[in-house]
Amino acid sequence: MRVYREKNFRLKTQATQYERQIKEKDKLIQELVQQSSFSKSNLADTHLIGALKREIKVTKERIRVKERERNKLSKGLKVTRLQELEVEMKVFADECTRLRRILDEVTKQKEMSYTVED
């Protein structure tokens, strides 16, 4: 379970980093668009914007993949925990049954000792 938690933490960290990169690139695109010297004749800037948009798209896809992976791990952890609880519950039930038998035996022995004394 610790491995799942560590992997989950790493995936969340990566997702956060990707989101930060997207925000930075979005900000850069907005700055380029807002510059007064920006013109359509400047092909280098246009190419840069296109490249940044493609990179943002790829980064968003990576985030989606990591989120799906993290969700699978989360579900796996929940299922594992549920199975562990079921096993614990069975162990407790077995222990209760064992203790009940012991109690019954002790009770019978005490009843027999009271009967013999009378």
Side-chain angles (χ1 to χ4, degrees), residues 8-69:
N8 190 10
F9 179 74
R10 270 188 268 123
L11 290 174
K12 283 182 180 180
T13 302
Q14 285 178 345
T16 303
Q17 289 172 347
Y18 290 143
E19 288 173 1
R20 191 183 77 244
Q21 288 175 356
I22 288 172
K23 287 179 184 178
E24 289 172 359
K25 292 180 194 249
D26 279 342
K27 184 179 176 182
L28 180 60
I29 289 171
Q30 290 302 321
E31 288 173 1
L32 289 172
V33 168
Q34 291 177 356
Q35 288 179 353
S36 61
S37 63
F38 182 76
S39 68
K40 292 190 180 200
S41 62
N42 191 345
L43 294 176
D45 287 345
T46 304
H47 176 70
L48 178 63
I49 289 173
L52 289 172
K53 285 183 178 182
R54 281 190 300 278
E55 193 171 336
I56 287 172
K57 185 177 179 181
V58 168
T59 305
K60 284 182 179 180
E61 181 58 31
R62 283 184 195 160
I63 289 173
R64 282 191 290 275
V65 168
K66 295 294 182 183
E67 283 293 320
R68 283 193 297 268
E69 196 173 324

